Amino acid sequence: MTAPTAPDLLALDRAAQDLLFRAARTASTFTDEPVTDAQVAAIHDLIRYGPTAYNGQPLRVLLLRSPESRARLLPYVSSSNRAKTASAPLVAVLAADVDFHERLPELYPHRPQARDWLSDRAGRAEQARFSATLQIGYLLVGVRAAGLAAGPMAGFDAVGVTREFFPDGRHEALLLLNLGHPGPDAWAERLPRLSTGEVVWTL
Amino acid sequence: MTAPTAPDLLALDRAAQDLLFRAARTASTFTDEPVTDAQVAAIHDLIRYGPTAYNGQPLRVLLLRSPESRARLLPYVSSSNRAKTASAPLVAVLAADVDFHERLPELYPHRPQARDWLSDRAGRAEQARFSATLQIGYLLVGVRAAGLAAGPMAGFDAVGVTREFFPDGRHEALLLLNLGHPGPDAWAERLPRLSTGEVVWTL
């Protein structure tokens, strides 16, 4: 009798494991096939159930669909990310709503006073970034759940993008995301991953 | 002919959608059934493929298995989280390795100079928190992929836990996580979620 391998110990079936993690890759080229609003809505409808602190859900997703909006983004993107950002079928700016606490009486109704616990802007911005980043993790999984490839990019001027696209002062850009179907040579060999023994410790 | 609903637009099958997001809930009570090291390893073996900046993988998971380690944690947990933390079959401290850059020559071999771009500790700590938080998003999905319930808790003294469990000064505690099978009355009614129209905007 052989011991079960790691994939067998999961309740999630192997095809889904592959779709979301094992076979999924960060794409750097895309085909021309568009990403529709219906697909984006289906992704959000799935991942909005992921947990956030105070159920605050601070992630906001700005889709840059017009050529003008794409052109406004490109100067803030690092040179190594510019070509793929210019050619991806869809680019999104992922941001945190620092004033997410305004909705808490509705989103966290059993403790309406949570809004007041978050009256300090600096502490609230930290909470907003943390929960929105968790939600970006769910979103990257959701993009793959839709059969699409995600191209997250941290190489950009976040202060500049925040100023350019969120002049209201209540949002902070966290990450750029290309979405589409992978094109030719969309990725190189997979980079090494740390083993469980290097990452998981026990006391 | 009826238009496809959101779940039909995803490549991920409906059972997996339910397991990971739609039917999954944050648990606040657990049964006595243990969470094994093999289950934790299976979860990590899945989610380690999720993308991080520079492929840096800064998330570290400290499992508190001994009664002594659990007792050391409890004074730092908010009163509303203490009972479930004391009774969960497994509690983990999720932390960021601020010195993750030391491994980059191996993890990001095509740009070994990335290690030197991250020589400033404050900027590096921000990167470590960001990527580790993304990985926590993957981890929460992975816990559910294993058929377990996750109980993430942000209500704790993170500075105190960092000092207590990571005296090396290179790790920062980000979140506590209870793991197990849901017990009686493990959750109340699901809290409201924002609609796509409130979260996704288009330019």
Side-chain angles (χ1 to χ4, degrees):
Chain A
M1 201 174 123
T2 322
T5 65
D8 301 330
L9 286 170
L10 299 177
L12 187 70
D13 65 89
R14 183 65 192 244
Q17 294 181 36
D18 287 345
L19 178 70
L20 302 181
F21 288 104
R22 293 189 202 280
R25 300 293 308 278
T26 292
S28 58
T29 73
F30 298 92
T31 69
D32 290 340
E33 193 174 340
V35 175
T36 66
D37 285 339
Q39 284 176 303
V40 173
I43 294 165
H44 177 259
D45 185 71
L46 179 71
I47 66 104
R48 68 187 182 137
Y49 295 107
T52 52
Y54 308 108
N55 191 38
Q57 309 166 60
L59 178 66
R60 299 294 178 268
V61 178
L62 180 63
L63 303 178
L64 303 184
R65 287 222 176 261
S66 69
E68 294 73 21
S69 65
R70 182 90 58 115
R72 284 170 59 196
L73 177 67
L74 290 179
Y76 301 103
V77 176
S78 73
S79 56
S80 59
N81 287 329
R82 207 163 290 154
K84 57 191 174 193
T85 307
S87 63
L90 183 59
V91 181
V93 180
L94 308 181
D97 179 358
V98 175
D99 291 345
F100 71 97
H101 68 311
E102 291 177 359
R103 301 290 300 268
L104 290 192
E106 172 197 349
L107 299 177
Y108 205 60
H110 54 297
R111 287 206 193 141
Q113 66 274 33
R115 177 172 55 186
D116 306 320
W117 299 338
L118 293 160
S119 57
D120 169 62
R121 191 186 193 277
R124 196 169 70 236
E126 196 178 327
Q127 293 266 358
R129 282 190 292 268
F130 181 78
S131 280
T133 305
L134 275 183
Q135 290 184 282
I136 293 174
Y138 310 146
L139 178 65
L140 295 175
V141 173
V143 169
R144 292 161 166 195
L148 297 169
M153 296 180 298
F156 72 104
D157 171 1
V159 171
V161 167
T162 294
R163 200 173 39 216
E164 177 73 30
F165 290 99
F166 304 104
D168 60 10
R170 70 178 271 173
H171 298 90
E172 285 187 21
L174 298 175
L175 196 71
L176 303 180
L177 181 64
N178 293 324
L179 297 103
H181 292 269
D185 300 317
W187 42 70
E189 256 189 279
R190 194 192 274 285
L191 295 172
R193 292 302 194 272
L194 297 174
S195 69
T196 300
E198 292 172 297
V199 168
V200 179
W201 308 322
T202 303
L203 270 188
Chain B
M1 200 175 123
T2 322
T5 63
D8 302 329
L9 286 170
L10 299 177
L12 186 70
D13 65 87
R14 184 65 193 244
Q17 293 180 35
D18 288 343
L19 178 70
L20 302 182
F21 288 104
R22 293 188 203 281
R25 299 294 309 277
T26 292
S28 58
T29 73
F30 298 92
T31 69
D32 289 341
E33 193 175 340
V35 175
T36 66
D37 285 339
Q39 284 176 304
V40 173
I43 293 166
H44 177 258
D45 184 70
L46 179 71
I47 66 104
R48 68 187 181 137
Y49 294 107
T52 53
Y54 307 108
N55 190 38
Q57 309 166 59
L59 178 66
R60 299 294 179 267
V61 177
L62 180 62
L63 304 178
L64 304 184
R65 289 223 176 259
S66 69
E68 295 72 23
S69 65
R70 182 91 56 116
R72 284 170 59 196
L73 176 66
L74 290 179
Y76 301 104
V77 176
S78 73
S79 56
S80 61
N81 287 329
R82 208 164 290 154
K84 58 191 174 195
T85 306
S87 64
L90 182 59
V91 180
V93 180
L94 308 181
D97 179 358
V98 174
D99 290 345
F100 71 97
H101 68 312
E102 291 177 0
R103 301 291 299 269
L104 291 190
E106 172 197 348
L107 299 178
Y108 205 60
H110 54 296
R111 286 205 194 143
Q113 67 273 33
R115 177 172 56 185
D116 306 321
W117 299 338
L118 293 161
S119 56
D120 170 62
R121 193 190 191 275
R124 196 169 71 236
E126 196 178 328
Q127 293 266 359
R129 281 189 293 268
F130 181 77
S131 281
T133 305
L134 275 184
Q135 290 184 282
I136 294 174
Y138 310 145
L139 178 65
L140 294 175
V141 172
V143 169
R144 292 161 167 195
L148 296 169
M153 296 180 297
F156 71 105
D157 171 1
V159 171
V161 167
T162 294
R163 201 173 39 218
E164 178 73 30
F165 291 99
F166 304 104
D168 60 10
R170 71 177 270 172
H171 297 91
E172 286 187 19
L174 298 176
L175 196 71
L176 303 180
L177 181 63
N178 293 324
L179 298 102
H181 291 269
D185 300 318
W187 41 70
E189 255 190 280
R190 194 191 273 285
L191 295 172
R193 292 302 194 274
L194 298 174
S195 70
T196 300
E198 291 172 296
V199 169
V200 180
W201 309 322
T202 303
L203 268 189

